[in-house]
Amino acid sequence: MQSLPMPEKIVGVLSFDFDGTLVDPKSDPQLHPVFFEVIKQFNEVGWVWGINTGRSQMQMLSGFMEGKFPFLPDFLIARERELYTPGRLNRWMPVREWNEKSTKDHKKVYRKSRKFIKQVQQHVEKETNAQWVTEEGDPAGIVANSIEEMAEILDFIDARIGDYKNLGYLRNTIYLRFSHKDYHKGTSLAEISRRCGVTKEQVFTIGDGHNDIGMLNKEYADMIACPANADDEVKQHVLEQGGYVCQQSASLGVIEAIDHFFD
Ligand SMILES: [Mg+2]
């Protein structure tokens, strides 16, 4: 599987969240094939497109199968902060400069916030049934058992995190992980736009979850939308930003939002 031919001159960027936005496991098909017809039309007039997800790059490989992608996107933003472009032989090539800086900045913020992260870990392990998750490059993650449990954990974190300068977190339903404040879907998207030579007036983005709020922001994209199945908090945010809340869910919502902005 390959990407569509790269336009000679890039005129715009389309950024899509994956789970719940492009792909809905409860729908059949999970991703409406018309979406790819739309993308082909955009490609012909110089637009590039990509997936902007909380999934890791490895997890996205199965995502392309789940969504039955007939061709690959032009870029991939994994774990909200790692940039990749398609390489030869189906391999994703890291955008080294950015990814290395991100790794360095994350190591530093984790080191400086060590005490607090430990405190949260102890709270999670002793006071809740949630799971503390440590992964390569991602030492501080939480998987709660319910939205309510996550809300309680957030209360604990939010009351204390202000003391730690660059520490932030990204969350999506029952998942949370600590990260550097400057790295989220919005700043990652801005880096893609910068590399493409495109200003925010020519950027479209859509997402349904809390971790999409970073990119659903007028600072990074003039065209902002969420599907009908988005979290209420996300819908509220999109409206406040002057964006578009779709009538339809998941990929049908995506197609609707594109229609809305591009007629
Ligand atoms: Mg989502």
Side-chain angles (χ1 to χ4, degrees), residues 1 18-19 23 30 55-69 72 76 92:
M1 199 168 33
F18 188 71
D19 294 281
V23 161
Q30 294 192 19
R55 285 194 186 207
S56 68
Q57 182 247 326
M58 285 304 286
Q59 288 167 336
M60 241 350 271
L61 298 183
S62 51
F64 295 133
M65 313 293 275
E66 290 157 36
K68 296 201 167 68
F69 281 46
L72 289 174
L76 168 63
W92 285 91

Side-chain angles (χ1 to χ4, degrees), residues 16-18 22 49-53 60 64 69 73 75-78:
F16 304 95
D17 168 49
F18 188 71
L22 264 190
W49 74 291
I51 304 294
N52 197 342
T53 180
M60 241 350 271
F64 295 133
F69 281 46
F75 64 88
L76 168 63
I77 298 170

Side-chain angles (χ1 to χ4, degrees), residues 17-23 53 172 185 207-212 229:
D17 168 49
F18 188 71
D19 294 281
T21 301
L22 264 190
V23 161
T53 180
N172 194 5
K185 288 190 179 192
D208 71 311
H210 190 272
N211 64 337
D212 294 308
N229 57 301

Side-chain angles (χ1 to χ4, degrees), residues 25-214:
K26 295 185 295 290
S27 301
D28 186 22
Q30 294 192 19
L31 197 174
H32 205 286
V34 165
F35 169 75
F36 294 104
E37 296 306 315
V38 173
I39 291 295
K40 273 188 200 161
Q41 292 172 13
F42 273 88
N43 172 265
E44 280 164 19
V45 292
W47 286 68
V48 295
W49 74 291
I51 304 294
N52 197 342
T53 180
R55 285 194 186 207
S56 68
Q57 182 247 326
M58 285 304 286
Q59 288 167 336
M60 241 350 271
L61 298 183
S62 51
F64 295 133
M65 313 293 275
E66 290 157 36
K68 296 201 167 68
F69 281 46
F71 48 84
L72 289 174
D74 301 312
F75 64 88
L76 168 63
I77 298 170
R79 294 204 296 192
E80 291 107 354
R81 63 176 193 249
E82 296 165 6
L83 311 189
Y84 296 90
T85 54
R88 279 184 297 172
L89 305 171
N90 275 342
R91 289 187 54 182
W92 285 91
M93 306 304 291
V95 176
R96 283 200 195 286
E97 199 188 345
W98 173 268
N99 294 0
E100 283 169 9
K101 184 173 184 311
S102 162
T103 302
K104 210 173 100 197
D105 290 345
H106 276 87
K107 275 189 182 154
K108 194 170 164 190
V109 78
Y110 292 138
R111 201 169 57 236
K112 292 203 161 178
S113 316
R114 202 170 41 210
K115 253 190 184 163
F116 174 61
I117 288 174
K118 196 83 211 158
Q119 194 188 357
V120 178
Q121 181 180 0
Q122 281 171 353
H123 173 78
V124 166
E125 288 176 343
K126 289 191 179 139
E127 312 291 331
T128 77
N129 293 316
Q131 210 187 331
W132 183 261
V133 186
T134 301
E135 280 173 25
E136 170 79 35
D138 241 333
I142 298 167
V143 183
N145 291 292
S146 65
I147 299 284
E148 292 73 28
E149 187 174 56
M150 179 53 78
E152 282 173 38
I153 294 169
L154 282 171
D155 285 343
F156 182 89
I157 294 171
D158 289 340
R160 296 163 178 83
I161 197 169
D163 296 341
Y164 297 83
K165 201 170 128 230
N166 288 321
L167 186 66
Y169 59 76
L170 291 163
R171 73 174 169 89
N172 194 5
T173 62
I174 58 166
Y175 304 95
L176 179 148
R177 64 167 167 260
F178 285 100
S179 58
H180 191 295
K181 259 188 190 159
D182 294 346
Y183 292 86
H184 49 75
K185 288 190 179 192
T187 49
S188 300
L189 174 59
E191 178 64 9
I192 291 286
S193 304
R194 189 186 71 79
R195 285 172 178 272
C196 291
V198 162
T199 57
K200 72 183 181 81
E201 288 75 19
Q202 296 293 90
V203 179
F204 166 91
T205 185
I206 182 165
D208 71 311
H210 190 272
N211 64 337
D212 294 308
I213 286 178

